[in-house]
Amino acid sequence: QKEVEQNSGPLSVPEGAIASLNCTYSDRGSQSFFWYRQYSGKSPELIMFIYSNGDKEDGRFTAQLNKASQYVSLLIRDSQPSDSATYLCAVKGANTGNQFYFGTGTSLTVIP
Amino acid sequence: DVKVTQSSRYLVKRTGEKVFLECVQDMDHENMFWYRQDPGLGLRLIYFSYDVKMKEKGDIPEGYSVSREKKERFSLILESASTNQTSMYLCASMFNLPDTQYFGPGTRLTVL
């Protein structure tokens, strides 16, 4: 079983719609969760991090965490063509020091 | 702004060569990481370092070694490059808290 799983997509949404990206993780003791955006040929760029159950909002982005279900999601409101990228979910292991586990990413395309 | 730099964006080497990849960060981060990224496999941790001269193996350390003689610099060494080490190599750094990683631009290594 992979540590972090994401739907690979591709996910296509029209401009202005809400894009919903999902991630599940296997380590129940994990406490730190991250979303990165990666444009083709570029390195990952941090979008958000979340530590507590519930929602965390930053501009058009909302991260949602449910530790009981071992589930973290990212909502992108008012999607723009510039949001077209691969989104990586990352989880910091509970008892592995500073080791992080990454999902394989979900490819998002926002159609103008 | 956090700046993480890597010595080369593109590198072509021959099988059996010794390869050095360098990473430098300017934020006095305690932790530094080396990942490789391959299609369908996501980011996989090779090694990380939580202090000068300290290192921990990640998930795929075989065929690699690392060196951290100064806090700002973390080197990845391929002792004898093989074709299956053709990949994108990403360096990252972070404080202990907040535990958010910042990535360098990546080095695309091709081993012929």
Side-chain angles (χ1 to χ4, degrees), chain B residues 18-76:
Chain B
K18 191 168 187 175
V19 182
F20 294 86
L21 303 182
E22 296 260 300
C23 176
V24 178
Q25 51 95 3
D26 67 354
M27 284 300 293
D28 204 33
H29 286 164
E30 296 94 347
N31 302 279
M32 297 187 75
F33 306 80
W34 275 107
Y35 295 90
R36 62 177 284 177
Q37 186 174 31
D38 301 286
L41 296 177
L43 272 78
R44 293 179 292 165
L45 182 65
I46 304 170
Y47 270 97
F48 67 98
S49 169
Y50 52 89
D51 201 352
V52 175
K53 297 191 187 294
M54 306 304 289
K55 61 186 179 185
E56 292 282 348
K57 293 180 180 179
D59 295 320
I60 51 164
E62 297 79 16
Y64 303 95
S65 62
V66 290
S67 172
R68 193 166 180 203
E69 296 297 318
K70 293 186 178 181
K71 193 174 186 179
E72 68 270 19
R73 189 179 297 268
F74 192 34
S75 302
L76 180 69

Side-chain angles (χ1 to χ4, degrees), chain A residues 2 32 34 36 38 41-46 49 51 88 90 92 96-104, chain B residues 9 31 33 35 37 40-43 45 48 57-59 88 90 94 96 98-101 103-105:
Chain A
K2 289 185 180 178
S32 304
F34 307 84
Y36 287 85
Q38 187 173 25
K42 301 293 187 182
S43 61
E45 170 193 12
L46 180 71
F49 59 90
Y51 298 140
L88 305 177
K92 185 177 171 185
T96 56
N98 281 330
Q99 183 159 354
F100 290 72
Y101 298 94
F102 284 79
T104 53
Chain B
R9 289 301 309 274
N31 302 279
F33 306 80
Y35 295 90
Q37 186 174 31
L41 296 177
L43 272 78
L45 182 65
F48 67 98
K57 293 180 180 179
D59 295 320
M88 170 70 89
L90 291 161
M94 74 174 201
N96 284 324
D99 52 358
T100 50
Q101 294 185 76
F103 284 86

